[in-house]
């Protein structure tokens, strides 16, 4: 695998970003010409901004090993570290398993920084050199501060395209609503995904598949200012569905927070979850202190254990 992507995959920062986690409202750094056509998911992480945020600085202070990880080279042939990354931008068509990952850096990079360690073949696509890996993923150095990885056929199609990616009106409308001032954001149209998720629900799940399948789209934004701050907005088609989902969230939070087996850090996290509705839209805001994040990381705890399953939500 390309050193820069291998390093990203194994880095501690990637785990922190997951904890945080992402038209015409897009930020200036988004490589719209390097997206897949008609994406249903787009995500961006402003790595540089995230590392400079007060919350991340506190996290690194509480866990000094993070700083050591940030200074480690991302691969055997590169001197690049996580501190040299400016942003990571992902676009995908989930139904086709097509995706493109674009990384921008704050310093110039060369072929050694992106060339896979072994087993790759070099091909020319227009003015670009593409390195095709054994797993049929390809890497291309777009310019001295931009590198892209995608399935080989997807990457070649993007490089041969003359303009920005094609997007649907539905996706554009959702993208306009996301808070792209935050260092992490995700935009998604969820129709097909919710259809699949609804069909896979167990028989005793407290939410009927038709309710879940009404979730049409969503945006997520996250930051690390005073602490972890996450905002999730979902279009639930109608007000009744939004209220039913809110009721389920309220029941789950109250049940787990009141369970004797729920660890105190989890209870603290649950106390920072607030759900609300505005007609057909469901909003979920999550706020937690950095100390809670550090404690959860030390515990290796992600979900409460031993608590009773939540009852079905009351009918609105």
């Amino acid at each position: 695998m390309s050193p820069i992507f291998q390093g990203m995959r194994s880095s501690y920062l990637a785990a922190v970003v997951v904890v945080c986690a992402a038209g015409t409202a897009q930020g200036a750094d988004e490589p719209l010409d390097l997206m897949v056509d008609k994406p249903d998911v787009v995500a961006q992480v402003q790595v540089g901004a995230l590392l400079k945020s007060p919350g991340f600085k506190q996290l690194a202070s509480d866990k000094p090993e993070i700083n050591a990880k940030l200074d480690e080279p991302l691969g055997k042939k590169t001197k690049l570290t996580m501190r040299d990354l400016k942003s990571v931008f992902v676009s995908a068509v989930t139904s086709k398993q097509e995706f493109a990952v674009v990384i921008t850096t704050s310093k110039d990079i060369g072929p050694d920084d992106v060339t896979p360690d072994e087993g790759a073949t070099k091909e020319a696509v227009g003015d670009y050199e593409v390195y095709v890996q054994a797993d049929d993923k390809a890497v291309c150095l777009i310019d001295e501060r931009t590198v892209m990885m995608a399935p080989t056929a997807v990457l070649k199609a993007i490089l041969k395209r003359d303009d920005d990616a094609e997007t649907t009106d539905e996706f554009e409308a959702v993208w306009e609503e996301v808070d792209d001032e935050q260092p992490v954001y995700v935009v998604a149209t969820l129709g097909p995904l919710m259809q699949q998720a609804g069909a896979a629900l167990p028989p005793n799940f407290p939410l009927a598949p038709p309710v879940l399948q009404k979730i049409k789209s969503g945006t997520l934004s996250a930051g690390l200012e005073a602490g972890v701050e996450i905002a999730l907005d979902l279009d639930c088609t109608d007000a009744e569905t939004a209220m039913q989902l809110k009721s389920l969230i309220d029941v789950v939070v109250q049940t787990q927070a009141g369970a004797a087996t729920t660890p105190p850090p989890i209870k603290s996290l649950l106390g920072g979850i607030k759900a609300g509705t505005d007609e057909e839209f469901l909003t979920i805001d999550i706020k937690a202190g950095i100390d809670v994040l550090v404690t959860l990381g030390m515990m290796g705890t992600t979900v409460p254990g031993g608590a009773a399953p939540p009852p079905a939500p009351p009918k609105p």
Side-chain angles (χ1 to χ4, degrees):
M1 177 176 285
S2 169
I4 191 170
F5 290 99
Q6 178 67 37
M8 276 290 296
R9 189 173 67 174
S10 60
S11 73
Y12 193 96
L13 176 63
V16 174
V17 169
V18 170
V19 172
C20 291
T24 57
Q26 298 94 318
D29 291 330
E30 291 146 340
L32 305 184
D33 57 330
L34 300 178
M35 289 198 312
V36 297
D37 278 319
K38 296 184 178 180
D40 57 7
V41 176
V42 158
Q44 178 162 264
V45 180
Q46 294 284 0
V47 181
L50 199 62
L51 295 183
K52 295 176 182 178
S53 65
F56 191 88
K57 289 179 179 178
Q58 181 184 338
L59 179 63
S61 175
D62 293 341
K63 294 186 70 66
E65 62 270 25
I66 292 179
N67 282 317
K69 287 289 185 181
L70 293 175
D71 293 326
E72 290 181 358
L74 295 175
K76 296 178 180 178
K77 299 191 298 181
T78 179
K79 295 182 180 180
L80 281 178
T81 71
M82 287 295 297
R83 296 187 192 276
D84 299 320
L85 302 188
K86 184 178 179 182
S87 68
V88 180
F89 182 81
V90 181
S91 60
V93 182
T94 56
S95 61
K96 298 180 179 179
Q97 296 186 331
E98 295 180 352
F99 68 90
V101 181
V102 180
I103 293 179
T104 60
T105 63
S106 59
K107 62 187 293 186
D108 290 354
I109 54 178
D112 286 347
D113 296 311
V114 301
T115 306
D117 292 335
E118 57 184 18
T121 58
K122 184 169 66 173
E123 301 180 16
V125 178
D127 295 332
Y128 298 100
E129 290 184 344
V130 174
Y131 297 91
V132 180
Q133 303 169 168
D135 60 358
D136 201 31
K137 303 293 190 304
V139 178
C140 179
L141 184 62
I142 302 298
D143 58 41
E144 64 272 12
R145 295 197 177 190
T146 307
V147 58
M148 177 169 64
M149 183 181 74
T152 303
V154 174
L155 188 145
K156 290 181 177 179
I158 291 173
L159 294 180
K160 293 176 181 178
R161 195 174 58 204
D162 294 330
D163 206 346
D164 289 350
E166 183 180 353
T167 55
T168 64
D169 291 342
E170 179 187 10
F171 193 83
E172 289 282 352
V174 180
W175 202 345
E176 289 179 354
E177 299 301 321
V178 74
D179 182 4
D180 59 2
E181 297 297 319
Q182 293 291 347
V184 180
Y185 78 75
V186 181
V187 179
T189 47
L190 299 169
L193 289 177
M194 291 299 99
Q195 292 290 329
Q196 296 174 19
L201 290 177
N204 60 342
F205 194 77
L207 190 65
V211 176
L212 187 65
Q213 290 166 351
K214 285 188 176 182
I215 302 177
K216 298 193 299 183
S217 61
T219 65
L220 179 148
S221 59
L224 282 170
E225 288 300 314
V228 180
E229 300 175 354
I230 301 174
L232 176 64
D233 294 281
L234 300 173
D235 183 342
C236 303
T237 302
D238 54 61
E240 180 181 0
T241 301
M243 183 58 69
Q244 189 169 353
L245 290 170
K246 177 188 179 300
S247 299
L248 175 61
I249 293 169
D250 290 343
V251 169
V252 170
V253 169
Q254 293 168 11
T255 301
Q256 301 291 9
T261 52
T262 301
I266 294 291
K267 290 187 177 183
S268 178
L269 180 63
L270 292 170
I273 299 176
K274 306 297 180 185
T277 62
D278 182 4
E279 297 182 348
E280 72 268 29
F281 293 97
L282 170 67
T283 61
I284 305 170
D285 292 320
I286 304 173
K287 294 184 179 181
I290 295 299
D291 57 331
V292 174
L293 183 62
V294 171
T295 304
L296 291 176
M298 294 174 64
M299 293 172 55
T301 305
T302 55
V303 295
K315 293 183 179 180

